[in-house]
Amino acid sequence: MIPYGRQIIGDEDIASVTEALRSAWLTTGPRVGDFERAFAEFCGANEGVAVNSGTAALHAAMRALNIRPGDEVIVPAITFAASSNAAVYEGGTPVFADVEPETLLIDPASVNQKITARTRAIVAVDYAGQPADHDALRALAAGRGIRIIADACHAPGATYKGRKVGTLADLSTFSFHPVKHLTTCEGGMVLTDDADLAAHMRRFRNHGIDSDHRSRETSGTFSYDMVELGYNYRLPDVQCALGIAQLKHLQDWLDKRQAIAARYDEMFADVPFVRPLATRPDRTNAYHLYVIRLDLGRLKVDRRRAFDHLKAAGIGANVHYAPVYHHSFYRERFGYQPGLCPNAEAAYSEILTLPMFPTLSESDQDYVVRTVTELKHLS
Ligand SMILES: Cc1ncc(COP(=O)(O)O)c(C=O)c1O
């Protein structure tokens, strides 16, 4: 099976983890700060707050922005559910905005229609690896007390008008799950230039306690205060050791992803029923995912059959994502109905995610393209 995504673990990663395992610190020790600083520097941000998943990063961001019951948070309909679940954790109400058909990024025109007096934040998901239109979103938010969280879990290393992802929003969240650009097994980080927000999130990830074990040991004290209800969202030193080693390859892996995407684009240019998602000329794409839309009017099969055909051929295609409000939790809790975001719903019936990872070989990629091309003969 050729998977849609795959991690790369080398000898240096294993050596870095082994060194951490043999050290005095398995959990919150010196490697946490080292990883935070290194990842923040790669992305051009001042502060990094490491946590144990991308979901925890989103939750920390919601808490830092003080999202509370009654607050509305605008989220694109096409994203992983965690983007909106994080608002729900804090009692907020997710409001779904539609996406642009060519990119599946949050559509600022739809956001504009969804803003109310209760809107407190917009989650700009950098879907598949391409930054959302952050300037347009910022213009909508300005002067209205609306903050922007970039859910950049797909997009470390991408740029928007020459600016790096990680610097585009008030807070930017990342995931280090194995299918992402670099992995810590599970893990995540929030980047920001705001030192107060960062300090709040460091406390939040440690139960809401105002110091950690290591800082108390250094200052020779045993007492601490829990000043808010936080969580245990700490990312252990051992996993940070893996992140530090992985980060050394990130630029090379990004280059490889972009080269693979360019090759897919070139090969699909002659296939009339395949439309790869567009990348806007003012942006670079980190290509977490390579997503195509099938022009079903030119085929005798639907997306389900197309997916099954690829699976039967040993290709681990995937679908990212059903509109979040289709999930029964969202229907039942918030009463969302089909028809809410027509572009997202139309896209959902046509999208397929094809294999995309830095070690995908040209022959495997040729095989994927050939197998997709065969769809025209199926009925
Ligand atoms: C857009 C998006 N947001 C958030 C997450 C959550 O990240 P994690 O799986 O690390 O909790 C993911 C991960 O799949 C994601 O793709």
Side-chain angles (χ1 to χ4, degrees):
M1 185 66 96
I2 307 171
Y4 84 88
R6 174 187 278 161
Q7 73 275 15
I8 304 170
I9 302 288
D11 290 346
E12 289 157 23
D13 300 302
I14 293 166
S16 182
V17 169
T18 308
E19 189 193 6
L21 281 169
R22 293 205 167 101
S23 78
W25 297 99
L26 294 188
T27 187
T28 315
R31 289 171 189 82
V32 177
D34 291 349
F35 183 42
E36 289 175 339
R37 279 185 292 277
F39 188 72
E41 190 184 314
F42 181 90
C43 298
N46 287 343
E47 299 272 356
V49 179
V51 288
N52 54 19
S53 70
T55 305
L58 284 158
H59 190 184
M62 294 292 168
R63 177 65 67 88
L65 297 185
N66 198 25
I67 299 301
R68 300 164 77 102
D71 292 343
E72 292 178 358
V73 176
I74 298 179
V75 184
I78 298 269
T79 185
F80 185 55
S83 312
S84 58
N85 291 352
V88 182
Y89 295 155
E90 291 298 290
T93 303
V95 173
F96 292 99
D98 212 344
V99 294
E100 302 170 343
E102 314 79 35
T103 61
L104 305 192
L105 293 169
I106 190 167
D107 182 351
S110 175
V111 171
N112 192 27
Q113 287 166 0
K114 306 275 171 143
I115 289 176
T116 72
R118 291 184 298 280
T119 307
R120 293 288 317 284
I122 300 166
V123 181
V125 177
D126 296 338
Y127 175 78
Q130 175 172 204
D133 190 349
H134 282 271
D135 280 356
L137 296 173
R138 194 168 283 281
L140 291 172
R144 295 160 116 165
I146 300 173
R147 309 294 292 273
I148 298 181
I149 298 170
D151 181 341
C153 289
H154 295 186
T159 60
Y160 172 85
K161 300 183 181 174
R163 285 138 53 201
K164 284 185 170 177
V165 163
T167 65
L168 302 170
D170 295 301
L171 296 159
S172 304
T173 64
F174 297 85
S175 163
F176 306 128
H177 180 276
V179 292
K180 300 296 195 302
H181 293 75
L182 65 97
T183 191
T184 59
C185 302
E186 297 278 359
M189 201 177 298
V190 191
L191 299 184
T192 182
D193 283 344
D194 187 319
D196 292 337
L197 293 181
H200 185 173
M201 292 186 289
R202 288 201 180 95
R203 191 175 72 201
F204 175 73
R205 76 173 170 200
N206 187 33
H207 306 277
I209 293 172
D210 63 356
S211 61
D212 63 36
H213 179 75
R214 187 160 166 256
S215 64
R216 286 195 295 281
E217 199 167 272
T218 311
S219 63
T221 182
F222 60 83
S223 65
Y224 58 82
D225 190 22
M226 191 194 110
V227 297
E228 69 175 313
L229 187 62
Y231 291 77
N232 179 352
Y233 280 160
R234 297 186 302 257
L235 185 65
D237 249 44
V238 173
Q239 285 171 248
C240 289
L242 180 56
I244 291 165
Q246 290 262 301
L247 189 55
K248 297 188 178 127
H249 300 280
L250 182 53
Q251 190 54 55
D252 176 47
W253 289 342
L254 279 163
D255 295 344
K256 293 203 163 86
R257 284 175 182 274
Q258 285 164 347
I260 290 166
R263 199 160 175 272
Y264 266 136
D265 285 350
E266 208 178 291
M267 289 193 280
F268 283 133
D270 300 330
V271 185
F273 60 86
V274 171
R275 284 178 293 161
L277 293 188
T279 297
R280 303 287 187 209
D282 58 0
R283 295 165 222 184
T284 61
N285 193 325
Y287 284 108
H288 162 49
L289 304 174
Y290 187 83
V291 177
I292 58 170
R293 287 187 75 151
L294 296 173
D295 184 348
L296 296 174
R298 292 172 183 261
L299 291 173
K300 292 195 223 46
V301 292
D302 62 7
R303 195 271 313 280
R304 173 82 230 179
R305 281 271 289 126
F307 174 86
D308 290 345
H309 179 70
L310 293 179
K311 271 265 143 74
I315 296 167
N318 213 322
V319 174
H320 296 89
Y321 302 89
V324 177
Y325 59 83
H326 279 187
H327 291 295
S328 45
F329 169 80
Y330 280 91
R331 286 203 317 270
E332 285 157 23
R333 171 79 75 95
F334 299 101
Y336 290 130
Q337 299 292 330
L340 193 61
C341 296
N343 290 343
E345 292 180 21
Y348 174 54
S349 62
E350 298 176 0
I351 48 177
L352 273 178
T353 303
L354 301 181
M356 165 57 80
F357 49 90
T359 50
L360 180 67
S361 68
E362 288 198 353
S363 59
D364 279 355
Q365 194 182 9
D366 292 345
Y367 176 66
V368 171
V369 172
R370 243 186 356 260
T371 311
V372 171
T373 310
E374 283 165 14
L375 294 174
K376 71 169 179 288
H377 303 303
L378 301 187
S379 52

